[in-house]
Amino acid sequence: MSQARSQTLETEIFGRQVQFDYSEHWVGYALVSMRVVMGWVLLQGGLTKLVTYLDANPDNNWTAAGYLANAIPAGNPFRELFIGMAGSPLVDMLNMWGLTLTGLGLIVGALVRFNAFWGAVMMLFYWAAALQGGLMQGLPLAHGWVIDDHIVYAVLLFGIGAAGAGRILGLDAYLENLSVVENNRWLRLFLG
């Protein structure tokens, strides 16, 4: 086994110079773990919705309509927007397939930046739907203000994408070496 190496990261964050040491070895494990675990959370959420379509009985098919029409809190500033989405087959498909494909992409480490971005967008929609009041009320949620699990997931997804976690034991390491990616460097924006 190779010896764990320590590196120093020097950067500017919020206008301040920051410097800290980190272990490459443990950061690699942490990034792969976060990517796979977050991928599983999303994949599981999507698959549990998709399997309702397997029995070919439309009455059993999952839909977001019930939640969107009835569960958005009365004080939510986006309530009417979400109620307007209720019953939309497009919203249902985007939700089911978005969760499933984003989760699968994170687990295998493919198109990680693209998947992390869209996963974070989904989390922000879920967060907005959970609000119980607007800005003047302090953006209240069921168990606090401003921050809930959806914001934690969105920040985690940002970190996974920013770190290029798909390059660590993921398909993005392979994809980045393809000639089509090497000849079109902009494609690297989706990988990592």
Side-chain angles (χ1 to χ4, degrees):
M1 185 168 147
S2 66
Q3 191 163 350
R5 293 190 325 213
S6 181
Q7 295 289 332
T8 300
L9 177 72
E10 296 181 32
T11 189
E12 182 179 314
I13 300 176
F14 301 120
R16 292 189 60 188
Q17 287 300 119
V18 177
Q19 175 181 333
F20 64 92
D21 295 332
Y22 65 95
S23 166
E24 288 179 339
H25 179 80
W26 293 113
V27 167
Y29 279 110
L31 288 171
V32 168
S33 298
M34 288 186 288
R35 188 191 83 218
V36 170
V37 167
M38 191 68 232
W40 177 254
V41 168
L42 298 175
L43 177 66
Q44 176 178 271
L47 288 178
T48 58
K49 293 165 181 53
L50 284 172
V51 297
T52 64
Y53 286 76
L54 294 178
D55 66 2
N57 181 351
D59 294 334
N60 295 335
N61 292 354
W62 175 87
T63 178
Y67 176 80
L68 292 171
N70 303 306
I72 305 297
N76 186 306
F78 307 110
R79 188 168 195 265
E80 294 305 316
L81 172 70
F82 286 114
I83 288 173
M85 292 181 192
S88 167
L90 178 63
V91 170
D92 291 346
M93 289 298 132
L94 286 173
N95 196 356
M96 286 186 291
W97 286 106
L99 288 168
T100 302
L101 296 175
T102 299
L104 185 60
L106 290 173
I107 289 170
V108 300
L111 302 171
V112 167
R113 285 196 176 122
F114 179 80
N115 283 310
F117 173 80
W118 287 111
V121 168
M122 283 189 286
M123 292 303 116
L124 293 176
F125 270 100
Y126 299 157
W127 171 81
L131 289 173
Q132 295 182 349
L135 188 59
M136 298 311 288
Q137 292 82 29
L139 298 175
L141 297 155
H143 302 288
W145 292 274
V146 184
I147 305 295
D148 72 351
D149 55 333
H150 301 105
I151 295 296
V152 173
Y153 288 161
V155 170
L156 177 65
L157 287 160
F158 170 77
I160 290 168
R167 294 183 186 124
I168 306 166
L169 299 178
L171 290 178
D172 281 348
Y174 168 77
L175 295 172
E176 286 183 348
N177 290 322
L178 295 176
S179 62
V180 67
V181 176
E182 289 179 352
N183 294 333
N184 298 285
R185 301 304 284 170
W186 60 271
L187 288 173
R188 290 184 61 124
L189 296 173
F190 299 101
L191 305 173

